[in-house]
């Protein structure tokens, strides 16, 4: 390999890293994205040049078609559709790596055959898993976890068979290699299908970041198979960054990565009916008889009370009319969500996936602007897995021109809920459900949540009171004091709130 190619690959990989670093800050994010894209373009041109295929005109037609499709998607895809778009792009990256591995599998050395088969395997897991994730996000597949008979066992079996065919394929050629290629292809696809179907909406942010990591890993392995340093480097960067993000997501949701990969996502076990032993039947019958006896006693008491009420009615009707009572002081009206916000000076807004579905981020910003114009301090509490992809809420609020400095991560704001005057929840549920602290055996048990329940006044702008994707009832909704339920479409609810703020 020419030294110039190695140097150029190192420089371009450094530029990609620099671009990623710049994307961590709002003011430099656009420039960082452009820098990384430019480095990738230079990498493609350099690869074509050093591979000696610059004169193959069909490559440029393919690049043009791909650029047109990408431009069309960029122009037409709505922000609410971004999670499934990201999932689809992850799948395309995995599919491309699998194709590279497929075309280079008949190499001369065991290393080339092994890396090619591994690229096929990881690429197919990424492709199939991403397609299922995109289907779930786009609601063409069930969003709830799909669990088949012996699901976890089959998932582990497919993973083991995939690895076995990849390893075996490195040491055989001819028909044996073809069989190993077919086995790795099929069982990797089945593994991707089995593990992704088990994932529910609550685990989707982890899955998206994991698939992003796998797409980079597949690209890096494909680069090893064909001896492309730049592809190895960039694939490694994507894989490592995606894996770090996946670990952050796992900690934020109290998940284990291996549990997700093997189909063991934290879905609640199906409740089992109690088994009644024969010696328990007599005790059950005795309790029923006691209840019937108490019911008869209560009926007698009710009949006696009815008799007394009738007697009192007769006495009241015979009594002279009471003297007029002087008008008392006006009774203070019960507080409403709008009146609470009118007086609040420290407000925390908690956005969730419901805000994304309603596309109400612009109304949320208008509410924040109105509160700030009245002298209130407004902050946004962002849970790491709010939405359906990492950074989902940040992207939506940035689209609505919300100042990034007002967005606070969970750890930075969680202790402030108890001191805030009011909290406004916009389409969030699982990420603030206090049941996560003590509801053992539920999907969210142990998951760190936003301490919304500690706030004195909570305004919930959700579509309804149904549980979130985890299926766990939220006790905040039934709190007797300091909770105001503004149910319905988020846009309409927010407009009513703003109209009612004095």
């Amino acid at each position: 390999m020419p030294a110039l190619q190695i140097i150029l690959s190192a420089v371009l990989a450094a530029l990609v890293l620099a671009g990623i670093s710049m994307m961590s800050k709002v003011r430099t994010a656009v420039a960082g994205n452009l820098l990384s894209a430019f480095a990738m373009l230079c990498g493609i041109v350099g690869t074509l040049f050093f591979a000696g295929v610059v004169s193959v005109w069909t490559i440029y037609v393919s690049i043009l078609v791909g650029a047109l499709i990408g431009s069309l998607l960029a122009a037409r895809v709505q922000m609410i559709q971004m999670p499934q778009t990201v999932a689809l792009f992850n799948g395309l990256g995995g599919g491309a790596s699998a194709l590279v591995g497929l075309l280079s599998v008949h190499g001369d050395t065991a290393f080339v055959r092994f890396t090619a088969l591994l690229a096929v395997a990881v690429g197919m897991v990424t492709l199939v898993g991403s397609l299922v994730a995109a289907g779930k996000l786009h609601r063409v597949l069930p969003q709830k976890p799909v669990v088949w008979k012996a699901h976890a066992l089959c998932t582990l079996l497919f993973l083991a068979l995939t690895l076995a065919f990849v390893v075996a394929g490195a040491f055989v050629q001819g028909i044996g290699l073809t069989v190993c290629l077919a086995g790795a292809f099929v069982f990797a696809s089945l593994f991707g299908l089995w593990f992704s179907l088990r994932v529910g909406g609550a685990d989707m942010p982890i899955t998206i970041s994991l698939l992003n990591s796998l797409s980079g890993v597949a690209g890096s392995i494909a680069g090893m198979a064909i001896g492309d340093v730049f592809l190895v480097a960039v694939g490694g960067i994507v894989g490592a960054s995606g894996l770090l993000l996946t670990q952050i997501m796992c900690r934020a949701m109290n998940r284990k990565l291996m549990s997700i990969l093997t189909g063991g996502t934290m879905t609640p076990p199906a409740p089992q009916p109690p088994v009644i032993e024969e010696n328990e039947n007599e005790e059950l019958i005795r309790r029923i008889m006691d209840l019937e006896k108490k019911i008869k006693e209560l009926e007698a008491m009710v009949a006696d009370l009815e008799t007394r009420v009738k007697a009192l009615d007769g006495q009241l009707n015979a009594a002279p009319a009471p003297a007029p009572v002087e008008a008392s002081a006006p009774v203070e009206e019960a507080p409403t969500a709008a009146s609470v916000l009118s007086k609040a000076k420290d407000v925390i807004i908690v956005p969730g996936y419901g805000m994304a579905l309603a596309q109400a981020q612009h109304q949320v910003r208008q509410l924040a602007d109105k509160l700030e114009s009245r002298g209130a301090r407004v902050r946004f509490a962002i849970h790491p897995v709010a939405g359906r992809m990492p950074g989902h809420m940040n992207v939506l609020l940035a689209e609505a021109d919300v100042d990034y400095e007002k967005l606070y991560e969970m750890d930075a704001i969680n202790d402030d809920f108890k001191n805030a005057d009011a909290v406004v929840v916009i389409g969030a549920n699982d990420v603030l459900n206090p049941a996560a602290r003590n509801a053992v055996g539920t999907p969210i048990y142990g998951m760190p949540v936003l301490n919304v329940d500690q706030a004195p006044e909570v305004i919930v702008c959700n579509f309804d009171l149904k549980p979130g994707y985890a299926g766990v009832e939220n006790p905040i909704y039934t709190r007797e004091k300091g909770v105001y339920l503004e149910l319905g479409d988020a846009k309409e609810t927010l407009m009513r709130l703003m109209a009612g703020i004095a």
Side-chain angles (χ1 to χ4, degrees):
M1 181 178 294
L4 179 60
Q5 183 179 3
I6 297 176
I7 295 173
L8 180 62
S9 298
V11 171
L12 294 177
L15 289 177
V16 171
L17 281 172
I20 293 175
S21 177
M22 292 171 65
M23 281 188 277
S24 64
K25 299 179 181 179
V26 176
R27 294 179 179 84
T28 57
V30 175
N33 191 29
L34 291 175
L35 178 61
S36 295
F38 175 73
M40 291 298 300
L41 177 61
C42 293
I44 294 172
V45 174
T47 299
L48 295 177
F49 174 78
F50 289 108
V53 293
V54 177
S55 60
V56 181
W57 63 271
T58 52
I59 292 177
Y60 303 103
V61 175
S62 301
I63 292 176
L64 179 61
V65 171
L68 289 174
I69 294 175
S71 300
L72 183 63
L73 287 174
R76 299 192 61 175
V77 170
Q78 300 178 7
M79 194 62 66
I80 186 64
Q81 299 171 325
M82 194 55 66
Q84 51 262 52
T85 305
V86 171
L88 184 60
F89 284 163
N90 289 337
L92 291 177
S97 299
L99 183 60
V100 172
L102 181 66
L103 295 176
S104 56
V105 74
H106 295 283
D108 297 331
T109 65
F111 177 79
V112 172
R113 292 192 294 272
F114 174 77
T115 51
L117 286 169
L118 191 58
V120 171
V122 179
M124 291 310 301
V125 170
T126 307
L127 175 60
V128 176
S130 297
L131 290 177
V132 172
K136 282 175 171 282
L137 290 167
H138 205 59
R139 298 177 181 271
V140 296
L141 291 176
Q143 293 186 296
K144 296 294 183 180
V146 177
V147 183
W148 291 325
K149 188 175 181 180
H151 200 109
L153 178 62
C154 289
T155 307
L156 283 170
L157 179 62
F158 295 148
L159 178 59
L161 288 173
T162 300
L163 294 176
F165 278 114
V166 169
V167 173
F171 303 101
V172 296
Q173 293 188 10
I175 187 65
L177 181 58
T178 303
V179 171
C180 289
L181 174 61
F185 183 92
V186 171
F187 288 111
S189 301
L190 290 174
F191 172 76
L193 177 65
W194 252 249
F195 107 81
S196 56
L197 279 175
R198 181 71 180 262
V199 177
D203 287 315
M204 195 55 71
I206 299 177
T207 308
I208 293 295
S209 59
L210 175 61
L211 291 169
N212 178 53
S213 177
L214 288 178
S215 68
V217 171
S220 184
I221 296 171
M224 295 179 188
I226 62 175
D228 190 308
V229 176
F230 182 66
L231 184 55
V232 173
V234 174
I237 291 171
V238 175
S241 59
L243 186 59
L244 288 173
L245 181 59
T246 302
Q247 292 292 352
I248 293 172
M249 297 291 106
C250 285
R251 285 197 297 269
M253 294 191 69
N254 193 34
R255 297 293 197 262
K256 292 183 178 179
L257 181 57
M258 187 54 64
S259 175
I260 295 174
L261 281 173
T262 56
T265 50
M266 298 176 66
T267 51
Q272 299 294 327
V275 178
I276 300 177
E277 300 291 341
E278 291 185 4
N279 58 2
E280 294 179 353
N281 289 337
E282 294 181 2
E283 177 68 16
L284 183 60
I285 293 172
R286 187 185 63 78
R287 290 183 180 181
I288 293 174
M289 293 177 66
D290 289 343
L291 287 173
E292 289 178 347
K293 182 179 179 180
K294 291 181 179 180
I295 290 172
K296 290 180 180 180
E297 292 176 354
L298 288 173
E299 288 176 348
M301 293 174 61
V302 169
D304 182 61
L305 287 173
E306 288 178 347
T307 302
R308 294 186 180 185
V309 169
K310 289 180 181 179
L312 287 173
D313 285 342
Q315 295 176 8
L316 289 173
N317 291 333
V325 180
E326 295 183 2
S328 57
V331 179
E332 184 178 353
E333 295 183 0
T336 63
S339 65
V340 168
L341 288 179
S342 298
K343 300 174 183 177
K345 295 302 180 183
D346 188 0
V347 180
I348 299 176
I349 298 177
V350 179
Y353 186 58
M355 184 191 76
L357 286 178
Q359 300 185 51
Q361 59 268 28
H362 296 282
Q363 286 72 25
V364 171
R365 191 213 67 209
Q366 292 171 13
L367 173 64
D369 290 345
K370 185 163 188 175
L371 293 173
E372 288 177 335
S373 68
R374 299 174 51 82
R377 179 192 184 192
V378 179
R379 292 173 290 170
F380 293 81
I382 309 298
H383 193 280
V385 294
R388 289 298 171 266
M389 62 177 288
H392 196 177
M393 297 299 103
N394 304 61
V395 172
L396 290 173
L397 294 172
E399 183 193 28
D401 295 327
V402 174
D403 189 351
Y404 198 81
E405 301 300 326
K406 299 176 184 177
L407 308 186
Y408 288 78
E409 296 181 1
M410 178 175 62
D411 293 339
I413 201 171
N414 234 8
D415 292 336
D416 295 345
F417 280 100
K418 58 181 178 292
N419 300 319
D421 295 326
V423 173
V424 183
V425 177
I426 313 292
N429 194 326
D430 290 336
V431 297
L432 53 89
N433 192 340
R437 305 188 190 111
N438 47 38
V440 180
T442 63
I444 61 173
Y445 176 66
M447 183 181 85
V449 294
L450 295 166
N451 295 332
V452 172
D453 60 312
Q454 297 179 4
E457 308 284 355
V458 181
I459 300 164
V460 180
C461 299
N462 284 359
F463 186 77
D464 52 37
L465 297 181
K466 293 181 180 179
Y469 277 104
V472 182
E473 297 288 345
N474 194 327
I476 292 178
Y477 299 162
T478 56
R479 199 171 90 182
E480 295 182 357
K481 185 178 180 182
V483 174
Y484 309 87
L485 302 177
E486 301 290 331
L487 305 182
D489 181 79
K491 287 184 178 179
E492 298 176 0
T493 301
L494 290 168
M495 293 303 293
R496 288 199 305 268
L497 275 178
M498 287 186 281
I501 295 176

